[in-house]
Amino acid sequence: MSNKKDSITNDDNFKNFTSSTVGDIHVEDPRIIAKNINVYYGEKIAINNVSIDIGKNEVLAMIGPSGCGKSTFLRCLNRMNDTIDSCKVEGELYLDNKNIYNKKTDVVTLRAKVGMVFQKPNPFPKSIYENVAYGPKIHGMAKNKIELDEIVVNSLERAGLFEEVKDRLDSPGTSLSGGQQQRLCIARTIAVSPEVILMDEPCSALDPIATAKVEELIYELKENFTIVIVTHAMQQAARVSQRTAYFHLGSLVEVGTTEKIFTTPQDKLTESYITGRFG
Amino acid sequence: MNNLKSRLAKEKRFELYGFISVFLALSLLSLLFISIFSQGYTAFEETRIQLKINFEQDILDPGHTKDWSVIKKSNFNLLVKNSLSEIFPDTTKRKQKKKLFKLISSSAEYQLRNEVKNNLNIIGTSKKLWVLADDDVDMLIKGHIKRNLPEDERRIDNKELEWIVTLESKKYIDKFFNKTLFTNGDSAEPEQSGVLGALIGSLFALTITLALSFPIGVATAVYLEEFASKNNKFIDFIEVNINNLAAVPSIIFGLLGLAIFLNFFGMPRSAPLVGGMVLAVMTLPRIIIPSRAALKSVPPSIKEGALGVGASNVQAVFHHVVPVALPGMLTGTIIGMAQALGESAPLLIIGMVAFIVDIPQSMTDPSTALPIQIYLWADTPERGFVERTSAAIMVLLLFLIVMNSLAVYLRKKFEKDIN
Ligand SMILES: Nc1ncnc2c1ncn2[C@@H]1O[C@H](COP(=O)(O)OP(=O)(O)OP(=O)(O)O)[C@@H](O)[C@H]1O
Ligand SMILES: [Mg+2]
């Protein structure tokens, strides 16, 4: 990967880099800046020259047909792609003006700052309490048991799960229902106080009621976190996000406010996808 | 319709095949158990003869020294002979007497010696003692030598039989639980031989094997599965070789042990330490392969979840992946250990096949192992060793069952902890 710069300053006129994307990829107050990102799996290119800003306290929805590279791009944001041997990332990615693909970046702190919720709920095969307490524990966020309890209860409350599980914090996380498990995973993620939460189709395994709960949660979390969510449900993107990015075959085709993308898409591809002609 | 019928018939047939194969396996297994048990159960009893021993002052301690170092040199055998002559006063001819004394195991002398050693005050008194009978007497009492055979086909002649019948009528002869089998090492005399030496040898060797192969095997599996880069030619090479090692005949490992541990490093021959090391090398691939399979079967989403909250790779592996894989790794280990327990070829090569009477006191003492004891006894013509061979097999099987139950217990326990 090319690490031309370690960090970005206002002197850099970084707003002028080229991009074939329709719509404004920039925002006023970016938390994440992706600049000319290319991702390869072996020889195959999966993300082709994608540049986009992600603002503070906004929910960005990423939509696009299956296999277009949404997950791949999302996983760049917390360097989860590092775990795939064949995966190679090029370009510059800044979180709070620090290049996260710099050799000096500590992935562990990065992933604590950029939490991730996965498509399939994946609680640890441990107790509900342990699931939430694990992150704070390894990061030394609590000085004692009382503080840890506080973090756990607080996170479960914010994930809207506490009332349902308060009597059985010791029972295994895997004994919860799918929707509860997913909210447990969200609680686990917010327990380490991240700045950004990445969600890869968090509701694809959930029923409408559980989905509604998670969406409500996303809406509340947006106050404190930057959220990037991948979704296949158009209505979901419309409901929870402020901005929407449309991916197609590894390219970022169009970005804009959610309202605009869903009402007056500029690009032909976006329009066909939104109107359900393919995908 | 026809289709459904044939599908159902197919299912039925398959079920039948399954049932037949399970039945066959079970019946062969029970046949094995029955044959071993029916041949071996008598070995758990031993024949003893009651003698009234006069601990004569003149024989043991004529000088009234009361000093064990003096007394221990006296002729304890004479006490046995005297007491036998008391029962059969008519036997006076030298040759006949010699034959009579042969009814008693040569271990009687040591039993008396211990009796005196533990209580010097016994000198001058007399006591009724049950001493071990000779193995031929034992075989006759247990019915392995038929009394109605013609004399020249019997290992016990008519005169001896007459004495035994006399002893029986006086209730001076009886069967007891065979403690000797569990307290003695090997011996040239069947009635004095036991499995303890081999059992301890096996235990020592297995301890070494476990201590070496479990940590190394698990560490290797974890490294290969979780940390090593997947597209590395060298790692591929190692993988292929581990799989090859698992298929290498065990005797080759013995030769390796002989060449490296004994000849190169000059370690002691016949020692459980070396035996354990050789078995550890042999067991390694048998632990690595199932451990890797266990690690591979852990859903990757668990590790991703841990990485997602900012755990390092090491933390994710040791906090989440390894605990989930542990039951599988333990099962693999115990199966590997069970194989090591039953292994004899590599131990033969490094000299654990010697005739060793003493119970090994440390890992470097010469010793045998259970399967080798079985091999040695099976190779001995005396009738007394036949039942002891089967008994040793039973002890080995029991050992195995205990180990396997432990494996099942541990697996259940860890699985419960996880879910
Ligand atoms: N581990 C991998 N190894 C090789 N190729 C991969 C890997 N993961 C994804 N790809 C390829 O990269 C491309 C983008 O995949 P990605 O998972 O990002 O798509 P996606 O937009 O998330 O699709 P979906 O909506 O179905 O989840 C696809 O062509 C896929 O085949
Ligand atoms: Mg995806």
Side-chain angles (χ1 to χ4, degrees):
Chain A
M1 68 203 79
S2 61
N3 299 305
K4 277 168 235 131
K5 297 180 208 72
D6 291 352
S7 58
I8 213 165
T9 62
N10 285 334
D11 307 343
D12 288 321
N13 80 23
F14 61 87
K15 293 208 168 178
N16 292 338
F17 48 81
T18 55
S19 147
S20 56
T21 307
V22 179
D24 191 5
I25 57 171
H26 300 299
V27 295
E28 272 304 303
D29 188 12
R31 170 151 272 157
I32 294 174
I33 301 166
K35 206 169 139 185
N36 307 115
I37 299 289
N38 290 315
V39 182
Y40 303 86
Y41 288 111
E43 296 294 297
K44 211 182 95 207
I45 187 157
I47 291 288
N48 189 359
N49 199 21
V50 168
S51 304
I52 188 172
D53 291 357
I54 301 169
K56 287 187 178 133
N57 301 348
E58 80 166 358
V59 178
L60 172 73
M62 303 206 296
I63 58 171
S66 184
C68 66
K70 306 177 297 287
S71 301
T72 303
F73 183 71
L74 193 73
R75 291 162 60 91
C76 289
L77 302 179
N78 66 346
R79 290 186 59 174
M80 208 55 140
N81 282 334
D82 291 11
T83 57
I84 300 168
D85 280 327
S86 66
C87 187
K88 199 163 97 244
V89 180
E90 284 177 0
E92 292 160 45
L93 234 170
Y94 300 93
L95 170 69
D96 295 328
N97 293 341
K98 291 251 163 37
N99 190 350
I100 64 170
Y101 274 95
N102 191 315
K103 288 239 156 48
K104 278 180 276 177
T105 306
D106 176 18
V107 232
V108 168
T109 14
L110 170 71
R111 292 197 188 127
K113 268 196 220 158
V114 184
M116 188 158 198
V117 177
F118 298 83
Q119 176 166 3
K120 242 182 88 211
N122 59 344
F124 301 134
K126 296 187 155 80
S127 72
I128 294 173
Y129 183 92
E130 278 298 318
N131 260 282
V132 184
Y134 180 68
K137 260 194 209 159
I138 57 171
H139 295 300
M141 287 167 62
K143 279 193 217 67
N144 50 39
K145 179 90 171 79
I146 298 165
E147 277 186 31
L148 190 63
D149 286 351
E150 211 168 285
I151 295 176
V152 171
V153 171
N154 195 305
S155 310
L156 284 170
E157 263 169 359
R158 287 166 80 188
L161 188 62
F162 186 67
E163 282 306 311
E164 289 158 66
V165 300
K166 65 180 173 199
D167 304 322
R168 47 173 177 148
L169 289 178
D170 288 332
S171 53
T174 43
S175 68
L176 296 172
S177 77
Q180 288 174 325
Q181 286 188 17
Q182 195 60 301
R183 278 179 285 148
L184 178 63
C185 292
I186 294 175
R188 175 175 82 186
T189 305
I190 57 186
V192 289
S193 317
E195 296 168 11
V196 181
I197 301 179
L198 310 176
M199 298 184 171
D200 194 350
E201 299 179 40
C203 301
S204 64
L206 305 185
D207 69 55
I209 294 170
T211 303
K213 278 197 179 154
V214 173
E215 282 177 10
E216 210 173 289
L217 178 59
I218 294 170
Y219 198 79
E220 279 164 27
L221 292 177
K222 150 186 148 237
E223 300 297 321
N224 302 302
F225 305 97
T226 299
I227 296 175
V228 184
I229 177 170
V230 173
T231 177
H232 274 292
M234 236 60 85
Q235 295 89 340
Q236 183 170 61
R239 278 193 299 265
V240 300
S241 69
Q242 281 81 57
R243 276 168 86 228
T244 298
Y246 174 68
F247 283 75
H248 191 89
L249 290 176
S251 302
L252 178 55
V253 174
E254 185 167 354
V255 191
T257 62
T258 302
E259 205 189 330
K260 216 173 140 207
I261 294 276
F262 280 97
T263 51
T264 53
Q266 305 292 301
D267 195 280
K268 273 270 173 326
L269 286 168
T270 321
E271 194 187 343
S272 335
Y273 183 73
I274 301 280
T275 52
R277 242 166 279 163
F278 63 86
Chain B
M1 195 60 212
N2 194 13
N3 206 339
L4 174 71
K5 228 176 171 178
S6 82
R7 182 148 44 85
L8 284 180
K10 221 183 213 165
E11 242 167 62
K12 269 265 169 330
R13 238 179 301 139
F14 186 74
E15 216 172 89
L16 186 70
Y17 295 153
F19 178 77
I20 291 175
S21 48
V22 169
F23 179 77
L24 267 179
L26 275 184
S27 46
L28 285 177
L29 196 68
S30 38
L31 200 69
L32 176 80
F33 279 143
I34 289 169
S35 94
I36 290 171
F37 187 78
S38 62
Q39 279 192 44
Y41 77 97
T42 47
F44 293 104
E45 283 186 327
E46 60 186 359
T47 308
R48 285 178 178 269
I49 294 174
Q50 193 192 51
L51 294 180
K52 183 163 167 284
I53 305 282
N54 293 319
F55 292 95
E56 289 169 49
Q57 187 86 48
D58 294 343
I59 296 174
L60 293 173
D61 192 13
H64 291 265
T65 56
K66 292 207 179 261
D67 181 0
W68 172 242
S69 57
V70 177
I71 299 170
K72 75 175 178 195
K73 291 186 191 123
S74 39
N75 187 354
F76 288 91
N77 220 357
L78 195 57
L79 299 181
V80 180
K81 287 178 180 172
N82 287 348
S83 118
L84 261 180
S85 307
E86 234 172 76
I87 305 177
F88 300 103
D90 307 337
T91 318
T92 45
K93 283 208 211 80
R94 229 179 100 80
K95 226 175 166 178
Q96 289 283 315
K97 265 189 156 168
K98 215 169 171 188
K99 205 181 240 173
L100 175 64
F101 299 150
K102 270 233 182 98
L103 292 183
I104 303 290
S105 161
S106 57
S107 70
E109 176 179 353
Y110 305 107
Q111 191 184 344
L112 298 196
R113 189 193 293 256
N114 272 336
E115 199 74 36
V116 176
K117 187 185 178 186
N118 293 338
N119 178 14
L120 288 180
N121 291 331
I122 209 170
I123 298 171
T125 67
S126 72
K127 188 176 177 186
K128 280 182 184 154
L129 282 180
W130 286 96
V131 299
L132 260 184
D134 187 64
D135 61 310
D136 285 337
V137 179
D138 188 42
M139 287 300 106
L140 185 92
I141 296 293
K142 285 173 179 169
H144 294 314
I145 296 177
K146 297 271 174 295
R147 298 182 189 212
N148 50 14
L149 283 178
E151 185 176 16
D152 51 352
E153 285 175 28
R154 227 192 292 124
R155 274 183 67 91
I156 299 241
D157 64 19
N158 285 343
K159 189 69 199 161
E160 288 169 316
L161 190 58
E162 189 186 302
W163 288 325
I164 293 173
V165 170
T166 315
L167 285 172
E168 273 180 323
S169 65
K170 293 188 174 173
K171 297 220 174 344
Y172 281 174
I173 201 160
D174 204 354
K175 285 190 284 189
F176 291 80
F177 174 70
N178 193 348
K179 251 181 27 204
T180 319
L181 186 63
F182 299 101
T183 53
N184 278 22
D186 201 4
S187 165
E189 300 296 329
E191 80 277 3
Q192 293 173 45
S193 62
V195 294
L196 186 67
L199 194 66
I200 301 233
S202 272
L203 212 62
F204 279 160
L206 278 191
T207 310
I208 297 281
T209 306
L210 185 66
L212 287 177
S213 61
F214 181 66
I216 299 178
V218 168
T220 311
V222 169
Y223 174 75
L224 286 178
E225 208 48 52
E226 303 291 339
F227 296 104
S229 139
K230 293 280 179 293
N231 330 303
N232 185 326
K233 286 277 178 303
F234 180 64
I235 300 291
D236 285 350
F237 176 74
I238 290 180
E239 267 196 64
V240 170
N241 277 299
I242 287 173
N243 292 336
N244 282 342
L245 273 183
V248 167
S250 58
I251 197 155
I252 308 287
F253 290 103
L255 289 169
L256 173 107
L258 178 67
I260 295 183
F261 299 140
L262 296 190
N263 292 346
F264 187 74
F265 288 111
M267 290 177 149
R269 278 183 71 83
S270 313
L273 175 70
V274 183
M277 286 164 74
V278 169
L279 291 177
V281 179
M282 189 198 80
T283 311
L284 259 181
R286 296 173 185 180
I287 291 182
I288 295 173
I289 293 171
S291 295
R292 289 189 66 182
L295 287 165
K296 216 173 252 160
S297 69
V298 177
S301 62
I302 291 182
K303 189 176 176 186
E304 285 197 328
L307 294 176
V309 294
S312 66
N313 201 16
V314 176
Q315 283 172 328
V317 168
F318 285 101
H319 294 168
H320 299 284
V321 181
V322 171
V324 177
L326 201 58
M329 301 207 262
L330 278 179
T331 313
T333 304
I334 302 269
I335 291 173
M337 295 301 292
Q339 281 175 332
L341 174 64
E343 201 56 69
S344 51
L347 303 182
L348 295 179
I349 304 275
I350 58 147
M352 283 183 80
V353 70
F355 172 73
I356 290 149
V357 177
D358 295 324
I359 312 288
Q361 300 297 317
S362 78
M363 305 250 179
T364 49
D365 285 352
S367 155
T368 57
L370 272 175
I372 296 196
Q373 192 66 73
I374 292 167
Y375 163 76
L376 285 172
W377 283 351
D379 215 24
T380 320
E382 264 113 323
R383 186 62 186 80
F385 279 122
V386 174
E387 57 171 30
R388 276 178 141 76
T389 307
S390 297
I393 295 174
M394 280 191 255
V395 171
L396 181 71
L397 286 177
L398 193 75
F399 203 152
L400 274 176
I401 289 171
V402 169
M403 269 172 70
N404 285 334
S405 333
L406 189 73
V408 173
Y409 169 77
L410 284 176
R411 195 175 55 211
K412 286 265 152 62
K413 187 173 140 52
F414 280 110
E415 271 170 0
K416 216 180 343 78
D417 285 357
I418 285 165
N419 293 319

